[in-house]
Amino acid sequence: MSATKKALKSIKSQLEEKNSEAALYEATNLLKSIGEDAPEAAQVLIFRGLALTQLQRNEEAEKSYIHAYKLQPSNPLASMGLKRLYEKNQQWDKLSQLLELYRALDQLLPSSPLVPLLQSVPAPSGSYVPFPSPIYPPSSAAIPPSLPNPLPHALHLVASLPLLTNLLVRAESLVYTTTEQKVKVGRQRLGAGPEKEVRRKVEAEVLGGELGMRMVELLKEVGSHPNVAEDVRREVEIREFNFWRKLGASSPYPDAKRTSSAKSNKGAQSSKTSSTDLPATSLFTPHSYPTPDKDEALSRTNDLANGFVLLGITGKGAEEGWSWVLEGKDELTLFYDIELLHKYAKAFPESKMTDFIDDYCRWFKLPLPEPEEEEETPQPADGEESFAQKANKKIKNRRGRNGMNARERRKARRAAGQQGVLSEDLDLEEREELVSGMTKLVDQLPKSIFAHRVMARISLQEADWANAIAFGDKAKALVKELENERGISLPNVRASIDTTLGLACVPYFAPKHHPRAIRLLDGVLKSHPDNKEARFARAQIHQAAGKWAYARKEFQALIDAGGDEKDVVAAKEELGWCLVNEGELEKGREILEEVVEIRDARNEQDGKDDEAYQRARAWYRLGRTEWMIGDDESRQHAEEWFMASIRALPTFPSSYTSLGICYSSATPPDEERALKCFQKAFELDATETEAAHRLAIGYANEDEWALVRTIAMRVMEGEGGLDGVAGGEVMNAKGRFAPQNGWAWKALGSTEVHYKNYAKAAQAYQIALRGDPTDVSMWVMLGESYVKCGRHIAGLKALNHALELQPLNWRAYFNIGDTQAQLGAFDKAIEAYEKVLSLTDTREIGIVAALAEANLSLGRHTAAGGFRQRSRNALHAAIRLATDVLKDGRSHRAWAWKTIGDATFELSNEESSLEEALSSSEVVQPVLQRLIDDDTDRRSQVEGLGHAANLLQSSPNLEHTLKTSIFAFAYRANLLKNEPRVADPALYDLASSLHTLALRLPDSESKTSCLKAAISAIRLALERDAGDERLWNALGVICGTAGPQVAQHAFVVSLELYSKDPIVWANLGYLYLRLEDVELANQCFLKAQIIDPDYAPAWFGQGMLAERNGDKQHAKALYSHSVTLSAGSLLEADLALAIATFERFLVPGAQIDTNLLHQPAFALRHYCHQRPNDFAAAHLYALICERLGLVDEAASSLERAAVVLEEEFERTESADIESRYAIALCNLGRVQLAAKKYSTALDTLNNCWELISDSIDGTIVSLKAQCRLLQGLIHYWLGQIDESLEAFQNSLDEASASQDLKTKEEVAVLLSRTLWGLGGDDAKETAKSNLMECLSQEKPLLKVISTLAAIAVISSDPDLVEAAISELSSRPVESRVKEDPSGQSDLVLYLHAIVEGDTEQAHKVLERAVQASPTNVKSRNRLAEALIQAGKSQEANDVLRTSGGVEDAKSKARMESLRGTAEILEGDEGGISRLQKGVMLAPWEEDGWNALTWGRRVVAEAEAE
């Protein structure tokens, strides 16, 4: 105990010395040591709270004081510390709660049971201290009032009005601040929703809670106090009304309320256990308030609002109560309680609603509100301005009729009404002023159902359908909002608004809004069957839909119901019109005549024509009836009735339309008067579609498309097609509708097509098709528009849909063909054009020409893809079709000869044999005959070629088709020589074809003549137009070989005219390359690449430069890129790529994947088809095919090359050609040997030997040994052993004679193997001696040594084995791998080690071979196979797993088989999948199938065990 006191003294001294941190530390430790049950714990907590207060840690200090207060409520230090803390922080609510001041003050309210007792106590002696009364209402709800200090005596406060007012202001401030704080916090939560929703929930919580209920109780206390002022009482009542209105609007329905109440109660219970709340005292118990529900709040709101109206309360804010009553009326009509409206106007004379009521009464001719009593205004002193004069200055800009503003006019109107001098009828100007004023007022009454209902009906009466719908929709939304807020139903108001909306939707852009109108009107008639307006409108909808029987029944029901005479007459008119449209013309005419008589009689009797429109309409309908009857007398009467209709109302448009039809149907027709009538009708009303249609047709026939567009746009506007009710565009998804006048959109589309606005035309056609989806012509035009604006797929879909509707529509097929041709699907285009020809009786020239163009394009396209025969067939068809065009007349000769020239020019590139030339000549012969027949004066003669007659008489060759192209172009150039616009292209075509022929011809006089003719044609074109850069480029190309200086000049001039043509830059680069100017050539090629990076010849030129510079790898990459860009069209790139790729395979010992040769093989195949006379390309193609194992294709290519070389050799007898021919024959024999065509190969080699036997040329001499060697091999395979040995010996002799030691060694090896295979001691000794002779050379081939070693091992000759093996072992491993890629030498060493029983040494031999060439898969496979045989399957698997790239499929298949075998031996059944993969990679290999069979058997046996 003494220690605790010491500690308390220490803490106290620390606090006195302001050592707050030390005091807090000691107090905290002391409290932990003694615990909360010790009697000193409260004192320690007080010291701790004081230390925290000094440290400004107020929240912790408050908790510490409250804890001490709970432990010892009698300790005054705890309450004193809290009091000082609350005073310091100005927390007056907590201070008052601590002191229980406000609970004590609540006992002094008039409703407290202590008031009578306290009032009986005598007043205290001494001076009276008054309680200051706050100003009510307060200036700001955010600032709570404070209590005076000191407070008056309690007896002076009993039932005191100032005390009540103070408490009320404080309660209102607490409600306001609490609401705003909770709204702010609620808005910061995730997913809180909009501020309006958050505020609604917070108001329901706060106003329905203790704070809100206390505030409303105080409002009642103040309002019922006897001493309260009248203005304060009214203000209190208004605030109470606003309180219950807010609570009713924010409160949920009872079910939700119970849930929220349960939650709030639970929260309240949990909050009571908080550590920061003071304990409840026994002196005062808090008052509990019942929580009102939504129904109770709305009931109290209704009672207060009705009280306002009953008592005529007019204070500030009371108007909301009046509006509550007015807007809550469920009136079926617009005629609300006039007494209520007058009281409203009198109560709030300055209100906007009062102004609206005043105008409402005037419009509907109801009694006006009483005029305001004029107060006497003081007279101004001299020189001063009166109030009226000041007001006049303020409102002078808003003056209306008679210099008065709107409010002054209302006052004058009221006074005139009271005096009885107000006119009953409204003139036009006053009606406009009323509508304008009420429209402005309704914008200032956004929540008034009454105002919006009135404006909707007024707009309906004024035929302002758009505003009627807008006001009606707004009123409907306000009704829904009010019903949700008050929990009531207003069926009559809803029915009235729906009626107004339905009536407005019927004529508003009819029949666009009829579906909505019928829904609204059906709902109204279901609840109010006697609503005549709704029934009449529904009948009109039936009329618009053509349901005349239904409409007639509705009108008959209205007539039977009776009522106002005008309404009955209107129903009779509609009934008669229904009968007319049903075909009962006589009955309908009788009724219409009766209606006309009644209305004319009323007009004459009343003297005012308020039914002019109805009279004009009735006369018009009567005239239409007469016109429909059809006889001459009736039609004469019809014209008279139309005139009568116009006399009744000169602006009635339908009568003008019908009158125009009368004039146009007369005999003879009066088109001028009819046109004027149609123009007048359309000017008056844009919905007169018949007049508009006739006008549009007339203007379209006159090519007045601007007027057609104007008419179509007006018709659309009249129909509501451009803008909907909500103002949305027609192409908006929400604004789409089916137009009633599709012809207008069709006309608009045709207009847009005329002006080449194809996208807009497509939109117009789309909308037109909504009205008539089965219009085939419209689908075709839509497809055409889609295609012309670049949407080809959409166009094809539209055209195909047109064919679904009408399968024999040739125009759709024609457009499909045109579209497919544009897309490059020429075969489909041809199919479509042929379908058009089959559907039409006559072969129209345009269709035949389109089919010819499609075939020509197909020929070019398939030729670029390498489909030669398809290309030839298409080109033949194009020539035949163009010839058919020539037969039809002379008007299309230029086009036809252009097509024939292009087709024959392309066809000449696809001819590689004489047979193909003969096939083409059958197609070309009729063309030549036609040319000869047409060209009687022989103007198509070409220098160096003569006339087409000469070609027709000559036998066809490979240049026959190309010459036909030249004559066609020459004749076309002659036909167009007087046409400056197209003469130059014709000469250009002629020059191009001549230059192509010159390139194909050998150097001769004919070639020179062709070049001269080409140059002459280009020069003639340049004389006509020297500014065409293409002509200068053509001149440069033609003169490239003949005159480089002229060519350079031509290219430079072309670039000066147009410097961004990559073709010219590339041509100039090739010219510089030919002239050995590498730098300039490189610059030109780079410039061409910059202009067009996809121009293949520029990249090819760069490749040629790289090859000249020795950069083979870069050159090959450039060639490959040019081949990719050109897609096979640049043949030179194909050849260059093939050469660059094949050169790598000529390096001795190179291990290269043969798959690299596939791309060059395809490229060369295409090249050889295009240029069959290029023997070098054919020879190269054969060598590549030989490498790929395509021996038959290689033999065929070499045969073609040999034929070409033989012809060339016979023509030139050149030694170079002779050597090439010999090489081709030798290679052909070798390939035929590989193809097992032994007899053919022997004949070929015999021919080769005959050619080279007597030659002394170095190149040919080296072939002698090879030729004899191949002959020996062939004899061997033919079984002719003696001849084979003789040939081998001859080969050795030829190699020795030519000092070709390498060939000699190769022959010796082959001869030795052959002799050893024959058997016999003499043969084997001869084989050994031949090899030993080769071994005597300084450095014999490794193949010789390995063969000798193999023979030694087999023959068990120890001396020879030792010598051969030592020679092999002396060679480095790297040298052996390089010289012997097949690994034969390593295999011999391996077998020798196996024979010697040294398995480890054998494996080391194979391992060293793998280490020397890690990428050689064959070496790895050999090592793995050896390891598997030795039982080391895991090591074998490791060797194969680390292998790199695989050269070919065979090696990869072998590797997979070995890996699968190793895995199965290791017990892994997954090896089966690898064995299967090996079989799939090389299914022709028998070893793979055997391995798979073995693996499956092993796995099956393992599973059986």
Side-chain angles (χ1 to χ4, degrees):
M1 185 66 69
S2 59
T4 303
K5 289 184 178 180
K6 275 186 175 183
L8 289 173
K9 288 182 180 180
S10 174
I11 295 171
K12 184 178 180 182
S13 63
Q14 295 286 0
L15 290 172
E16 290 175 350
E17 295 174 2
K18 302 298 183 181
N19 294 331
S20 305
E21 292 286 353
L24 177 62
Y25 178 76
E26 292 181 8
T28 303
N29 290 335
L30 180 60
L31 183 62
K32 290 180 181 180
S33 62
I34 65 175
E36 294 184 359
D37 298 333
E40 293 86 1
Q43 187 63 39
V44 175
L45 285 169
I46 292 171
F47 283 159
R48 187 172 180 276
L50 184 58
L52 289 168
T53 303
Q54 292 178 359
L55 292 173
Q56 301 295 325
R57 295 160 65 176
N58 297 327
E59 292 183 3
E60 297 180 45
E62 180 184 7
K63 292 179 181 179
S64 185
Y65 282 135
I66 290 175
H67 196 180
Y69 186 83
K70 290 179 179 179
L71 292 177
Q72 289 185 2
S74 60
N75 193 328
L77 295 178
S79 58
M80 186 180 299
L82 278 173
K83 181 175 178 297
R84 290 176 179 174
L85 179 64
Y86 291 152
E87 288 178 348
K88 178 181 179 182
N89 296 329
Q90 297 183 355
Q91 295 175 309
W92 310 117
D93 294 336
K94 293 184 177 181
L95 179 60
S96 62
Q97 182 182 359
L98 174 67
L99 300 177
E100 299 183 353
L101 178 59
Y102 287 106
R103 291 185 182 177
L105 292 177
D106 285 346
Q107 306 303 317
L108 303 180
L109 297 180
S111 59
S112 174
L114 295 179
V115 171
L117 178 63
L118 293 175
Q119 287 178 343
S120 63
V121 177
S125 59
S127 60
Y128 169 71
V129 179
F131 189 94
S133 178
I135 300 174
Y136 193 84
S139 59
S140 175
I143 304 174
S146 59
L147 295 173
N149 191 9
L151 280 171
H153 194 275
L155 294 179
H156 295 159
L157 296 177
V158 173
S160 170
L161 180 61
L163 174 62
L164 276 174
T165 308
N166 186 286
L167 294 178
L168 175 59
V169 174
R170 176 180 176 274
E172 290 178 347
S173 178
L174 283 176
V175 169
Y176 173 78
T177 54
T178 304
T179 301
E180 295 301 322
Q181 289 174 1
K182 289 191 174 185
V183 169
K184 184 177 180 181
V185 173
R187 287 286 291 153
Q188 295 174 352
R189 294 194 185 102
L190 291 175
E195 182 179 0
K196 182 179 180 181
E197 183 65 19
V198 174
R199 184 172 294 277
R200 185 188 67 79
K201 294 179 180 179
V202 170
E203 286 181 349
E205 177 186 352
V206 175
L207 297 180
E210 181 181 351
L211 289 177
M213 292 298 101
R214 174 175 170 76
M215 184 186 79
V216 78
E217 288 296 331
L218 290 172
L219 285 171
K220 293 179 181 178
E221 294 274 4
V222 173
S224 60
H225 200 280
N227 297 331
V228 68
E230 186 64 23
D231 57 342
V232 176
R233 179 181 288 109
R234 296 307 179 202
E235 180 66 28
V236 167
E237 291 175 351
I238 293 171
R239 293 202 173 204
E240 185 180 358
F241 166 79
N242 290 329
F243 170 83
W244 290 114
R245 183 178 59 81
K246 284 184 178 180
L247 181 59
S250 60
S251 296
Y253 287 99
D255 292 341
K257 181 63 180 176
R258 283 195 294 271
T259 304
S260 62
S261 299
K263 292 181 180 178
S264 62
N265 292 336
K266 184 176 179 181
Q269 291 173 4
S270 62
S271 63
K272 289 181 181 180
T273 61
S274 175
S275 62
T276 60
D277 290 345
L278 293 173
T281 62
S282 59
L283 181 60
F284 304 109
T285 56
H287 181 65
S288 61
Y289 298 96
T291 303
D293 57 8
K294 186 179 185 72
D295 295 336
E296 182 182 353
L298 292 174
S299 176
R300 290 176 180 267
T301 307
N302 282 326
D303 294 341
L304 288 170
N306 290 327
F308 289 172
V309 176
L310 182 62
L311 299 177
I313 297 177
T314 61
K316 182 180 179 182
E319 188 176 358
E320 293 187 8
W322 289 74
S323 296
W324 179 278
V325 175
L326 178 63
E327 304 299 339
K329 294 289 185 180
D330 188 21
E331 296 287 349
L332 182 59
T333 66
L334 290 179
F335 301 106
Y336 281 55
D337 184 2
I338 193 65
E339 184 179 355
L340 173 62
L341 297 178
H342 285 184
K343 288 176 66 177
Y344 195 117
K346 187 174 182 180
F348 307 100
E350 300 298 324
S351 171
K352 299 299 180 184
M353 179 58 77
T354 298
D355 295 340
F356 188 85
I357 291 172
D358 195 296
D359 291 346
Y360 157 80
C361 293
R362 176 57 179 160
W363 180 272
F364 289 102
K365 302 176 183 179
L366 299 175
L368 297 175
E370 296 181 3
E372 302 173 23
E373 296 180 0
E374 297 290 340
E375 298 181 359
E376 294 184 1
T377 55
Q379 296 294 328
D382 295 340
E384 292 184 2
E385 214 172 21
S386 68
F387 173 77
Q389 291 172 340
K390 292 179 181 179
N392 287 342
K393 286 186 177 181
K394 293 180 181 178
I395 64 176
K396 66 180 180 179
N397 293 329
R398 295 186 288 117
R399 295 279 173 176
R401 185 174 58 174
N402 301 327
M404 295 187 293
N405 62 20
R407 181 151 293 176
E408 290 174 348
R409 287 198 301 274
R410 293 188 185 99
K411 289 182 179 180
R413 191 165 57 212
R414 289 186 186 183
Q418 187 179 27
Q419 297 172 8
V421 297
L422 183 62
S423 174
E424 181 179 358
D425 295 330
L426 301 174
D427 58 17
L428 180 60
E429 185 176 358
E430 187 176 2
R431 289 174 69 92
E432 292 177 354
E433 287 179 356
L434 285 174
V435 172
S436 175
M438 296 174 79
T439 303
K440 294 177 181 178
L441 288 171
V442 81
D443 291 337
Q444 300 174 20
L445 300 169
K447 296 293 184 181
S448 175
I449 299 173
F450 168 73
H452 284 86
R453 283 184 66 189
V454 170
M455 285 309 301
R457 176 58 70 166
I458 290 175
S459 299
L460 185 65
Q461 293 177 358
E462 291 294 294
D464 188 356
W465 318 120
N467 278 332
I469 294 173
F471 286 128
D473 286 337
K474 178 66 174 177
K476 200 169 183 179
L478 291 173
V479 169
K480 182 179 180 181
E481 182 180 348
L482 184 139
E483 288 178 342
N484 291 335
E485 180 182 350
R486 301 192 189 183
I488 61 175
S489 178
L490 302 176
N492 290 332
V493 175
R494 280 185 172 274
S496 175
I497 296 173
D498 286 346
T499 301
T500 303
L501 284 172
L503 293 176
C505 286
V506 171
Y508 185 51
F509 294 137
K512 181 178 180 180
H513 303 285
H514 284 184
R516 183 188 182 195
I518 201 69
R519 290 195 302 269
L520 294 170
L521 296 173
D522 285 345
V524 172
L525 290 173
K526 186 176 181 180
S527 58
H528 298 79
D530 56 344
N531 191 319
K532 296 181 180 180
E533 285 184 326
R535 190 171 298 280
F536 193 93
R538 189 169 69 175
Q540 288 180 317
I541 295 175
H542 290 321
Q543 283 182 321
K547 300 177 181 179
W548 301 102
Y550 290 101
R552 176 170 51 79
K553 292 177 182 179
E554 297 281 3
F555 290 126
Q556 187 63 51
L558 289 172
I559 295 171
D560 295 341
D564 185 71
E565 182 185 3
K566 291 184 178 181
D567 295 339
V568 173
V569 171
K572 281 186 177 182
E573 179 189 352
E574 300 298 336
L575 176 63
W577 187 238
C578 290
L579 290 171
V580 169
N581 285 278
E582 285 184 279
E584 300 183 19
L585 300 178
E586 297 295 338
K587 291 183 180 180
R589 180 170 62 179
E590 291 176 3
I591 295 175
L592 290 174
E593 287 175 350
E594 180 184 355
V595 170
V596 168
E597 291 176 2
I598 293 173
R599 285 179 174 162
D600 286 350
R602 186 187 298 129
N603 180 43
E604 294 175 1
Q605 181 180 357
D606 296 342
K608 58 180 181 179
D609 196 3
D610 56 349
E611 291 183 313
Y613 182 83
Q614 289 80 1
R615 289 177 56 235
R617 184 181 60 199
W619 279 112
Y620 160 74
R621 288 178 171 176
L622 183 57
R624 286 292 300 165
T625 305
E626 296 283 1
W627 184 263
M628 292 169 68
I629 291 174
D631 54 52
D632 294 339
E633 183 180 0
S634 298
R635 293 209 167 189
Q636 185 177 358
H637 289 165
E639 184 176 349
E640 295 176 1
W641 302 155
F642 292 144
M643 295 298 296
S645 174
I646 294 173
R647 287 193 295 270
L649 184 64
T651 59
F652 190 75
S654 300
S655 297
Y656 288 102
T657 301
S658 298
L659 198 57
I661 294 174
C662 290
Y663 292 145
S664 61
S665 302
T667 306
D670 192 347
E671 297 293 346
E672 184 177 356
R673 294 179 69 185
L675 181 62
K676 290 181 180 179
C677 289
F678 293 143
Q679 288 176 342
K680 181 65 175 180
F682 191 61
E683 288 173 3
L684 292 173
D685 188 359
T687 61
E688 284 298 315
T689 56
E690 180 65 24
H693 195 183
R694 291 173 179 262
L695 284 175
I697 293 174
Y699 288 134
N701 292 334
E702 296 174 3
D703 207 22
E704 295 287 346
W705 292 103
L707 294 176
V708 174
R709 183 205 292 269
T710 303
I711 292 172
M713 296 294 288
R714 278 209 65 200
V715 171
M716 297 167 200
E717 292 171 359
E719 188 183 353
L722 294 182
D723 296 312
V725 177
E729 293 183 357
V730 70
M731 292 310 297
N732 188 351
K734 295 181 179 179
R736 291 179 179 174
F737 75 107
Q740 297 298 311
N741 300 292
W743 66 264
W745 291 98
K746 191 174 182 179
L748 179 61
S750 301
T751 305
E752 298 296 350
V753 169
H754 175 77
Y755 290 112
K756 298 183 180 180
N757 298 325
Y758 301 114
K760 293 182 178 179
Q763 292 180 358
Y765 291 139
Q766 283 178 333
I767 300 169
L769 284 170
R770 295 176 197 165
D772 186 6
T774 60
D775 190 339
V776 178
S777 63
M778 200 125 44
W779 281 106
V780 174
M781 289 189 287
L782 176 62
E784 291 177 359
S785 301
Y786 274 143
V787 172
K788 289 179 180 178
C789 67
R791 300 175 60 185
H792 295 80
I793 303 302
L796 285 175
K797 290 181 179 179
L799 293 169
N800 286 323
H801 187 75
L803 289 177
E804 292 176 4
L805 297 173
Q806 187 179 357
L808 301 180
N809 190 295
W810 69 268
R811 186 178 172 190
Y813 278 112
F814 183 82
N815 284 285
I816 288 175
D818 184 38
T819 306
Q820 296 289 8
Q822 293 181 35
L823 292 174
F826 304 111
D827 49 350
K828 295 181 180 180
I830 292 170
E831 182 181 353
Y833 289 139
E834 290 176 347
K835 184 68 175 178
V836 175
L837 288 176
S838 66
L839 292 175
T840 54
D841 296 334
T842 58
R843 292 173 64 87
E844 295 290 338
I845 292 180
I847 301 173
V848 176
L851 182 57
E853 290 283 357
N855 277 285
L856 176 59
S857 300
L858 178 62
R860 288 170 172 168
H861 180 70
T862 51
F867 303 99
R868 299 179 63 253
Q869 191 56 44
R870 291 180 59 188
S871 173
R872 287 169 50 78
N873 294 337
L875 293 171
H876 288 168
I879 295 171
R880 292 191 186 98
L881 291 167
T883 307
D884 292 341
V885 173
L886 286 173
K887 295 177 183 178
D888 290 338
R890 304 174 63 86
S891 57
H892 303 282
R893 287 189 301 169
W895 173 89
W897 287 115
K898 165 67 174 174
T899 304
I900 292 172
D902 288 339
T904 50
F905 182 84
E906 297 292 338
L907 186 60
S908 66
N909 295 326
E910 303 301 320
E911 294 176 350
S912 58
S913 64
L914 186 59
E915 291 77 8
E916 292 177 348
L918 291 173
S919 175
S920 298
S921 67
E922 296 178 0
V923 180
V924 171
Q925 295 293 340
V927 174
L928 291 174
Q929 189 62 49
R930 171 67 60 177
L931 178 60
I932 295 171
D933 295 340
D934 287 352
D935 188 18
T936 56
D937 51 359
R938 304 176 68 88
R939 294 183 180 180
S940 61
Q941 186 170 352
V942 179
E943 182 182 354
L945 297 179
H947 191 256
N950 301 333
L951 183 63
L952 185 62
Q953 297 172 0
S954 63
S955 58
N957 55 18
L958 292 178
E959 286 78 30
H960 187 82
T961 309
L962 181 57
K963 291 178 180 178
T964 304
S965 172
I966 294 173
F967 288 123
F969 286 138
Y971 187 53
R972 177 173 179 263
N974 179 66
L975 292 175
L976 299 176
K977 62 182 178 181
N978 295 323
E979 299 290 338
R981 186 174 59 87
V982 291
D984 295 343
L987 292 170
Y988 178 89
D989 292 337
L990 175 60
S992 298
S993 59
L994 285 168
H995 179 249
T996 303
L997 178 61
L999 294 177
R1000 295 187 183 183
L1001 294 175
D1003 293 336
S1004 60
E1005 185 178 350
S1006 298
K1007 181 174 183 177
T1008 305
S1009 300
C1010 288
L1011 286 175
K1012 289 181 178 180
I1015 294 173
S1016 299
I1018 288 295
R1019 290 184 62 183
L1020 180 59
L1022 285 172
E1023 290 175 1
R1024 293 172 177 268
D1025 183 9
D1028 191 340
E1029 70 279 358
R1030 294 170 298 178
L1031 297 176
W1032 285 104
N1033 176 58
L1035 179 62
V1037 172
I1038 296 172
C1039 296
T1041 55
Q1045 295 180 347
V1046 177
Q1048 180 183 8
H1049 173 72
F1051 288 140
V1052 171
V1053 173
S1054 178
L1055 290 174
E1056 288 177 353
L1057 294 172
Y1058 182 67
S1059 61
K1060 295 184 178 181
D1061 191 344
I1063 299 175
V1064 183
W1065 282 106
N1067 291 337
L1068 184 59
Y1070 285 118
L1071 178 63
Y1072 287 138
L1073 183 61
R1074 195 179 302 117
L1075 298 175
E1076 302 295 334
D1077 195 338
V1078 178
E1079 184 63 30
L1080 287 178
N1082 185 45
Q1083 293 180 9
C1084 291
F1085 290 137
L1086 287 176
K1087 184 68 174 178
Q1089 292 171 6
I1090 293 171
I1091 295 173
D1092 185 4
D1094 294 334
Y1095 187 56
W1099 294 95
F1100 177 69
Q1102 286 277 45
M1104 295 179 67
L1105 288 175
E1107 188 172 10
R1108 287 199 178 190
N1109 294 331
D1111 192 350
K1112 300 284 187 180
Q1113 195 65 26
H1114 188 209
K1116 180 178 177 298
L1118 291 170
Y1119 291 151
S1120 178
H1121 187 58
S1122 62
V1123 169
T1124 303
L1125 292 177
S1126 65
S1129 61
L1130 186 59
L1131 301 178
E1132 291 78 5
D1134 296 341
L1135 180 61
L1137 176 63
I1139 294 173
T1141 306
F1142 190 71
E1143 281 180 347
R1144 299 173 58 190
F1145 289 84
L1146 301 179
V1147 179
Q1151 294 291 320
I1152 305 174
D1153 187 4
T1154 55
N1155 292 324
L1156 296 175
L1157 292 173
H1158 285 294
Q1159 183 186 6
F1162 281 113
L1164 269 181
R1165 184 173 183 271
H1166 180 252
Y1167 180 92
C1168 291
H1169 279 303
Q1170 297 294 327
R1171 295 184 180 177
N1173 294 328
D1174 192 336
F1175 53 84
H1179 202 153
L1180 178 60
Y1181 176 60
L1183 295 176
I1184 292 176
C1185 288
E1186 183 185 15
R1187 291 274 180 161
L1188 292 173
L1190 305 173
V1191 289
D1192 292 333
E1193 182 71 15
S1196 176
S1197 182
L1198 280 170
E1199 288 173 358
R1200 291 196 302 270
V1203 170
V1204 175
L1205 284 168
E1206 184 179 8
E1207 294 176 354
E1208 186 69 15
F1209 176 66
E1210 291 176 354
R1211 188 178 63 83
T1212 61
E1213 296 184 357
S1214 169
D1216 180 60
I1217 298 299
E1218 181 185 12
S1219 63
R1220 290 175 182 268
Y1221 182 39
I1223 293 172
L1225 289 175
C1226 186
N1227 289 335
L1228 177 58
R1230 184 184 69 252
V1231 172
Q1232 289 172 341
L1233 171 62
K1236 299 182 180 181
K1237 298 177 181 179
Y1238 303 123
S1239 300
T1240 307
L1242 186 58
D1243 293 339
T1244 302
L1245 291 171
N1246 289 336
N1247 293 334
C1248 179
W1249 178 253
E1250 292 177 0
L1251 183 65
I1252 65 176
S1253 59
D1254 298 331
S1255 178
I1256 58 174
D1257 183 79
T1259 305
I1260 295 179
V1261 168
S1262 63
L1263 287 177
K1264 293 182 178 180
Q1266 298 181 30
C1267 183
R1268 286 298 188 181
L1269 174 62
L1270 291 172
Q1271 287 175 339
L1273 291 173
I1274 294 172
H1275 284 302
Y1276 176 80
W1277 287 107
L1278 289 174
Q1280 302 169 358
I1281 304 301
D1282 295 337
E1283 290 84 353
S1284 174
L1285 294 176
E1286 182 183 357
F1288 281 137
Q1289 189 61 46
N1290 292 334
S1291 178
L1292 280 175
D1293 296 341
E1294 292 293 342
S1296 301
S1298 63
Q1299 300 296 318
D1300 189 353
L1301 299 179
K1302 183 176 180 181
T1303 304
K1304 180 180 179 181
E1305 291 175 348
E1306 292 281 355
V1307 174
V1309 169
L1310 291 174
L1311 178 58
S1312 300
R1313 290 178 180 177
T1314 304
L1315 292 171
W1316 191 268
L1318 293 175
D1321 295 338
D1322 295 339
K1324 291 180 179 180
E1325 288 299 326
T1326 304
K1328 289 181 182 179
S1329 62
N1330 288 332
L1331 292 174
M1332 292 296 294
E1333 182 182 354
C1334 294
L1335 196 63
S1336 63
Q1337 301 294 332
E1338 181 179 355
K1339 188 177 181 181
L1341 288 177
L1342 195 63
K1343 187 181 297 186
V1344 175
I1345 303 173
S1346 60
T1347 304
L1348 185 60
I1351 290 175
V1353 171
I1354 294 173
S1355 60
S1356 301
D1357 188 345
D1359 296 335
L1360 188 58
V1361 168
E1362 182 180 0
I1365 294 300
S1366 62
E1367 184 69 24
L1368 277 178
S1369 301
S1370 64
R1371 296 286 183 95
V1373 178
E1374 294 78 8
S1375 176
R1376 289 206 308 268
V1377 170
K1378 183 176 181 181
E1379 291 185 34
D1380 185 16
S1382 63
Q1384 182 179 353
S1385 58
D1386 294 324
L1387 181 60
V1388 171
L1389 291 174
Y1390 167 74
L1391 293 175
H1392 174 258
I1394 293 295
V1395 170
E1396 294 293 327
D1398 192 352
T1399 308
E1400 294 296 328
Q1401 180 62 29
H1403 291 167
K1404 286 181 180 179
V1405 170
L1406 298 180
E1407 288 174 359
R1408 285 195 292 269
V1410 172
Q1411 292 170 359
S1413 180
T1415 60
N1416 192 325
V1417 179
K1418 293 181 180 179
S1419 299
R1420 286 185 178 272
N1421 289 344
R1422 188 178 293 120
L1423 174 60
E1425 186 175 3
L1427 292 172
I1428 291 173
Q1429 292 174 355
K1432 301 178 181 180
S1433 55
Q1434 181 60 43
E1435 296 180 13
N1437 204 357
D1438 295 339
V1439 169
L1440 295 173
R1441 189 180 296 113
T1442 57
S1443 63
V1446 181
E1447 286 92 342
D1448 53 18
K1450 183 178 179 181
S1451 299
K1452 188 172 184 181
R1454 182 61 179 164
M1455 183 188 71
E1456 293 293 338
S1457 297
L1458 290 172
R1459 287 193 65 180
T1461 303
E1463 290 176 358
I1464 290 176
L1465 291 174
E1466 289 294 318
D1468 186 2
E1469 296 182 0
I1472 289 293
S1473 62
R1474 292 197 177 275
L1475 292 174
Q1476 291 174 342
K1477 186 175 181 181
V1479 170
M1480 288 187 291
L1481 288 172
W1484 59 86
E1485 292 292 332
E1486 186 177 354
D1487 292 341
W1489 289 101
N1490 294 335
L1492 178 60
T1493 304
W1494 169 84
R1496 287 176 175 173
R1497 186 177 66 251
V1498 171
V1499 172
E1501 291 175 355
E1503 291 178 351
E1505 293 177 359

